[in-house]
Amino acid sequence: MKYFQEEIERMPREQMRKLQLERLKHTVEDVYQRVPFYKNKLDEAGVKPSDIQTLEDLRKLPFTTKEDFRDNYPFGMFARPMKEIVRIHASSGTTGKPKVVGYTRNDMNTWSDLIARLVYMVGGSDEDIAQVAFGYGLFTGGFGLHQGLEKVGATVVPMSSGNTEKQIMLMRDFGTTLLIATPTYALHIADVLEEMNVPKEEIKLKIGMFGGEGHTEEMRKILESRLGIISTENYGLSEVMGPGVAGECIYQNGQHIAEDCFIIEIIDPETGEPVEEGKPGEVVITTIKKEGIPVLRYRTHDISYLISEPCECGRTSRKLAKMQGRTDDMLIIKGVNVFPSQVESVLLGINHIGPYYQLIVSKKGYTDQLEVQVELTDDSLLDSFSKLEALEKEIQHKLHVVLGLVAKVKLVEPKTIERTTGKAKHVIDNR
């Protein structure tokens, strides 16, 4: 089934801006009347809904943070009574109360539309058998992708995450062509495929739709080579919808933003002021077609930049560049800003080491210390001290060039760094 909403996806820019302004005005009025949290916040900022007359007036509105969701747990952010809420999702809540979100029936229709657009954008259709290896439950990824895949007519295998040997059995037996997973788990599937000696020709995968965490271009090349797929990335977060906010098309040169449903700003995370277009900063999202929980200027902590150049696919939306990290993942080591993605880009370009790594941060006296632990792909190197030492020095040098600081490098045996079916934990901060 063709799922291309041309009137939206190829809408002229000025027409899109007019639609965004109309929906923004409605959203601000809606939250002011229906959500006490937002009424108080807008009153404190001295802003009335009638003050929003242009898209630039968005900057007058206060930011929303993850702490606001937790402070209003469970339903204080909802703009509709519970009888109109047909679905509840929530973040993992690993640090305190989870961030709870709700969806009306219209929200569910919007969400499945957005995912269906993403599926078609990467070449998916009713000819595909799609295996969802995201966790189901309160996490938005599993159900979010599931409903959009069904909308384009794909055959959905709701496998969920884990049980990797069974995942592979089903891929072989069902002829799975489209894989939904985190890039980290897709990499683990590739490892297990090799361990099981499954010939590549017995796996019919063509497309990977990866999300839940960012991955570098180097990681993309590894996934494409090892799984024989086109690897695409999509973006979203529970607080504003779930997956479907943006996603790549087959040209893989930025994630098309669903601008009829979201307004995205890029700000300086320190000052809160907008940055020059094309410059990286923190992604801030305002929903403009959400009923259950409309959200104003949500600070995501994700770091990216906007791309306005036309895309070969013909879609007219602006795009989000590949995520460069998160402000809350950024490490400050000896005064230097370090992102795990920078380390990953270096490591994946070096022979004899695998794509699994961890950054261990500690403090010696008053000085921060960074140790990069990375797996060898061949444990026979452990028998040669001189080869190990040379490889460690090579890695250390390349990291120094990119990071601007000296990190200790520790090479570890293959398969000793923990595998995960979800988001990888790359940083252990012991300070």
Side-chain angles (χ1 to χ4, degrees):
M1 182 189 297
K2 184 175 180 179
Y3 207 91
F4 178 49
Q5 297 176 324
E6 185 169 2
E7 72 284 0
I8 295 170
E9 297 182 69
R10 288 186 174 171
M11 185 177 285
R13 293 301 309 158
E14 282 310 307
Q15 193 176 333
M16 177 59 76
R17 285 176 61 84
K18 184 178 178 182
L19 176 64
Q20 286 184 319
L21 178 58
E22 177 186 314
R23 290 182 172 177
L24 175 62
K25 286 180 175 181
H26 173 78
T27 296
V28 176
E29 181 68 43
D30 195 38
V31 297
Y32 191 77
Q33 299 298 334
R34 295 173 179 267
V35 185
F37 162 77
Y38 274 123
K39 183 179 188 307
N40 293 337
K41 199 146 188 170
L42 289 170
D43 285 345
E44 287 172 10
V47 181
K48 298 293 183 188
S50 58
D51 293 334
I52 307 302
Q53 296 299 319
T54 69
L55 284 178
E56 286 65 35
D57 290 334
L58 179 66
R59 297 172 192 169
K60 297 176 181 177
L61 300 173
F63 293 112
T64 306
T65 67
K66 63 182 180 182
E67 288 75 26
D68 293 327
F69 274 85
R70 289 181 175 138
D71 290 346
N72 287 278
Y73 174 89
F75 306 135
M77 301 291 282
F78 285 27
R80 295 294 186 274
M82 291 307 293
K83 67 180 181 180
E84 294 182 35
I85 300 295
V86 298
R87 174 86 67 82
I88 286 177
H89 279 287
S91 68
S92 58
T94 53
T95 54
K97 297 283 189 181
K99 301 182 289 288
V100 179
V101 295
Y103 302 78
T104 65
R105 194 163 300 282
N106 285 337
D107 289 335
M108 295 302 294
N109 290 334
T110 298
W111 195 9
S112 57
D113 265 352
L114 295 180
I115 298 296
R117 282 189 216 169
L118 293 188
V119 174
Y120 184 70
M121 210 181 286
V122 301
S125 72
D126 53 3
E127 298 288 335
D128 281 295
I129 296 175
Q131 193 156 318
V132 181
F134 271 152
Y136 281 73
L138 290 177
F139 169 60
T140 53
F143 281 111
L145 270 297
H146 183 128
Q147 61 204 24
L149 286 158
E150 285 188 343
K151 196 151 200 169
V152 298
T155 303
V156 181
V157 182
M159 177 60 193
S160 193
S161 58
N163 202 346
T164 308
E165 291 192 6
K166 187 174 182 181
Q167 296 269 10
I168 291 168
M169 180 191 79
L170 297 185
M171 281 181 194
R172 296 172 81 177
D173 296 347
F174 294 175
T176 300
T177 56
L178 200 161
L179 175 64
I180 308 294
T182 64
T184 299
Y185 188 45
L187 183 65
H188 182 53
I189 290 173
D191 287 343
V192 178
L193 272 167
E194 289 182 5
E195 290 167 12
M196 293 172 65
N197 294 314
V198 176
K200 218 176 202 179
E201 55 269 22
E202 290 187 16
I203 299 296
K204 296 182 180 178
L205 285 180
K206 299 184 303 180
I207 302 167
M209 290 186 69
F210 302 131
E213 62 183 0
H215 64 294
T216 59
E217 285 298 329
E218 291 80 5
M219 176 70 86
R220 187 206 299 274
K221 289 173 186 172
I222 288 172
L223 289 169
E224 290 187 333
S225 171
R226 295 183 66 187
L227 292 173
I229 57 172
I230 173 175
S231 166
T232 66
E233 188 170 39
N234 54 78
Y235 176 70
L237 54 160
S238 301
E239 298 89 319
V240 298
M241 178 69 82
V245 174
E248 289 182 320
C249 66
I250 57 172
Y251 293 100
Q252 302 170 302
N253 56 4
Q255 301 179 76
H256 289 274
I257 302 165
E259 292 189 289
D260 56 314
C261 296
F262 308 96
I263 299 175
I264 290 188
E265 306 168 80
I266 307 294
I267 65 165
D268 182 320
E270 298 297 326
T271 67
E273 293 299 314
V275 301
E276 185 182 332
E277 180 141 330
K279 300 290 185 184
E282 182 178 353
V283 177
V284 172
I285 304 176
T286 297
T287 68
I288 52 173
K289 201 185 174 185
K290 189 91 181 286
E291 291 181 344
I293 299 187
V295 181
L296 303 180
R297 304 192 79 197
Y298 185 72
R299 295 192 62 161
T300 66
H301 295 289
D302 293 317
I303 297 173
S304 183
Y305 59 91
L306 292 172
I307 301 170
S308 295
E309 288 78 17
C311 186
E312 291 177 75
C313 73
R315 291 174 178 84
T316 54
S317 58
R318 293 191 301 173
K319 293 180 289 187
L320 266 178
K322 183 174 283 295
M323 294 297 151
Q324 299 182 359
R326 289 180 55 82
T327 58
D328 49 2
D329 276 353
M330 183 181 78
L331 298 168
I332 301 177
I333 310 292
K334 300 176 183 176
V336 177
N337 295 345
V338 176
F339 290 100
S341 58
Q342 292 175 298
V343 176
E344 181 175 297
S345 293
V346 172
L347 297 178
L348 296 187
I350 298 175
N351 293 328
H352 307 302
I353 60 173
Y356 298 99
Y357 65 93
Q358 283 190 324
L359 312 184
I360 314 296
V361 188
S362 59
K363 192 174 279 288
K364 187 175 183 180
Y366 295 102
T367 307
D368 294 325
Q369 305 289 323
L370 173 63
E371 177 178 282
V372 179
Q373 295 187 359
V374 59
E375 280 187 2
L376 292 162
T377 53
D378 181 3
D379 55 8
S380 67
L381 283 173
L382 293 168
D383 298 329
S384 172
F385 177 77
S386 61
K387 288 182 181 178
L388 275 182
E389 188 177 40
L391 183 55
E392 284 180 354
K393 285 183 176 177
E394 179 189 357
I395 296 169
Q396 190 175 59
H397 170 70
K398 290 184 175 179
L399 286 172
H400 182 234
V401 170
V402 172
L403 303 180
L405 57 81
V406 176
K408 181 181 178 183
V409 174
K410 182 179 181 181
L411 298 171
V412 299
E413 294 181 31
K415 301 178 185 176
T416 53
I417 291 176
E418 183 183 3
R419 292 345 186 214
T420 177
T421 61
K423 301 180 185 182
K425 185 175 175 61
H426 289 306
V427 177
I428 299 174
D429 195 336
N430 294 323
R431 290 177 290 188

